[in-house]
Amino acid sequence: MSDETGFASLEARVEAADRLLAMPQVVFEVSRLLDDDESTQPQIAAALGRDPGLVAHVLRLANSPAYAPSRAVDSIERAVAMLGRDVLQRLVVASAVTRSMNTLPEQERLPLETFWRHSAYCAVIARQLAQAVAPRAAGVVFLAGLLHDLGKLLLFSQSPEAAHRAFLASLDTAQGPSPQAAEREQMGFDHARLGGALAERWGLPEALVEGIAWHHDPLSASDRHRPSVALVHLANTGAHLAEIDSRDWADAPPLEEQAWAIAGVSPEMLLQAVEDAQHEVLAVQALSDPEVGTPAG
């Protein structure tokens, strides 16, 4: 399939996904305000107040043991002040996207429970690595880790048979194509590019778009965002190890060798993050299932 055909198909998929998921406009407004240093807490609180679901989620987090408030946080204004912009940005985007994606039709090839467990591991590991080497990037790599396989869930929802054929093709032989290469052969694009294109259409921050689009290929990311993309790339491999409780690199997707130096992370650091993530992942899954637990701050 030619690149031109593939990109045309990618655009069509993005348009279809955008209609299907129907992200609330308030999410974009709140995200924009949180990115704007000139915006005020009352402005942010007023925008949040237009989405009762987000208000409930924010108040629930503000009253959770992670923040242990001395008295109940009963207003969105106080919650905004307590949580801070970074945590709010993470919560608003993650909550909105996960709520939308949980409305996708159920299918057998990639159950939502499996999808969110892997995503939560990737998010936790990416944040832990960032806190050690690039603390200011911790929020964005957490979100990129949580949403890195957005395109995979869309592919398995929109074209389950084609997505499954690509998966099987990547298993044919030890020398067979990578899962991403097999997806490109089947559909003209891979799940990472699809997820990144949808995130861009939604107007999400550039660092988040690149973290999703290039999580398998960090060397293709822009110079500015390559270190944070490399963190997500490493975290994705760590997530696979965490899911099966393995510490054997052969059990996980291959890594881009240069990613270690680009991210400033050692193999020992990644394995420690895998260990730590196994104790924290249930809390993060609360972003997609409020009955699971309390999301970590």
Side-chain angles (χ1 to χ4, degrees), residues 191-250:
H191 70 273
R193 293 299 302 279
L194 175 59
L198 181 57
E200 184 175 21
R201 185 182 182 93
W202 284 342
L204 297 182
E206 183 180 277
L208 181 52
V209 171
E210 291 206 28
I212 296 170
W214 303 118
H215 70 271
H216 286 298
D217 184 18
L219 299 187
S220 292
S222 67
D223 291 346
R224 179 184 179 189
H225 298 303
R226 193 172 297 140
S228 61
V229 175
L231 288 172
V232 179
H233 174 71
L234 295 173
N236 178 55
T237 287
H240 284 277
L241 294 177
E243 286 178 276
I244 60 174
D245 197 22
S246 170
R247 303 299 181 265
D248 185 344
W249 299 112

Side-chain angles (χ1 to χ4, degrees), residues 166-184:
F167 171 72
L168 293 178
S170 70
L171 300 179
D172 273 351
T173 67
Q175 289 74 41
S178 68
Q180 301 81 249
E183 288 170 353
R184 291 192 291 270

